[in-house]
Amino acid sequence: LTRIPPPLFPPPPPQVTDRLATTGLLMVVSREYPNWFFTCVSLVALDIGSHWLQMYAQILRNKSSHKDVDEGSFFILRLYYTNRIFMGACCVGAEVLYLAAHAATDPRILAIAGPLAGALPAKVSVPLPAVLGWGKELGVECSSALAQLALVALPFWAVKQAANVAQLVTSCEALVAHDFPKRKRA
């Protein structure tokens, strides 16, 4: 039996591969939908920035993982990091939404009828904030399987973004508290 030598480089941590996968998907989507470029870049910045700050803040607090959240943290953040099934659903939902946006560029895929075609309205309009640059609303035709999949993924994506924002705010507060501790007044 021959001995297999260890790899020259250790495998990257899952945190890195997750961020790279999301960034890659969002860059593909931004290329296919040029009006979404700013939004996609903002989502990448939010994802990477919130996780990096969370990791840095947790290191300063001597925590073993960026997933160790305090009881005083935002509810959504506690739920996100204490319930692995919920966190997994949110992460998968976000990636599925990005993959659905990518797949929607192929008319053959859009032509596949979904199982709920008769049960849903023909079109659903999702109101959008003006800052996204996509217009006032996003209209989704509900007859295709891809659109139905995207509609199922949308709430999970939204919760993941809310968790990222909560993580960003909590981490910034922790870093400020660390850098500028409250001074006792005499």
Side-chain angles (χ1 to χ4, degrees):
L1 218 48
T2 35
R3 187 165 179 245
I4 299 172
L8 293 176
F9 298 103
Q15 180 82 246
V16 174
T17 55
D18 292 347
R19 303 291 76 77
L20 287 174
T22 300
T23 299
L25 274 173
L26 282 166
M27 291 301 94
V28 168
V29 169
S30 74
R31 178 83 169 113
E32 294 170 336
Y33 301 93
N35 291 345
W36 295 7
F37 178 77
F38 176 73
T39 302
C40 290
V41 168
S42 297
L43 288 169
V44 168
L46 175 62
D47 191 44
I48 292 173
S50 67
H51 280 83
W52 184 82
L53 286 170
Q54 175 78 357
M55 288 181 65
Y56 186 59
Q58 297 300 63
I59 287 169
L60 292 175
R61 292 176 171 169
N62 294 321
K63 300 274 187 165
S64 61
S65 168
H66 74 285
K67 296 176 182 175
D68 291 341
V69 292
D70 297 328
E71 287 298 318
S73 296
F74 288 111
F75 167 75
I76 193 77
L77 203 52
R78 284 194 323 267
L79 178 62
Y80 187 77
Y81 280 126
T82 57
N83 187 327
R84 299 290 191 228
I85 294 171
F86 181 72
M87 180 176 69
C90 291
C91 292
V92 169
E95 302 300 315
V96 164
L97 188 65
Y98 302 146
L99 288 169
H102 168 60
T105 61
D106 186 340
R108 295 170 299 174
I109 295 174
L110 277 176
I112 300 171
L116 303 174
L120 293 173
K123 185 175 183 178
V124 172
S125 296
V126 179
L128 300 172
V131 72
L132 293 177
W134 298 354
K136 292 183 180 180
E137 64 183 27
L138 180 64
V140 179
E141 300 287 335
C142 296
S143 59
S144 76
L146 187 61
Q148 292 171 17
L149 182 64
L151 287 172
V152 168
L154 186 63
F156 294 103
W157 171 87
V159 169
K160 183 173 185 336
Q161 303 320 310
N164 282 345
V165 169
Q167 181 170 260
L168 182 68
V169 169
T170 303
S171 299
C172 287
E173 288 172 347
L175 292 173
V176 167
H178 179 271
D179 288 346
F180 301 101
K182 294 180 182 176
R183 294 186 179 111
K184 294 181 181 178
R185 296 185 184 192

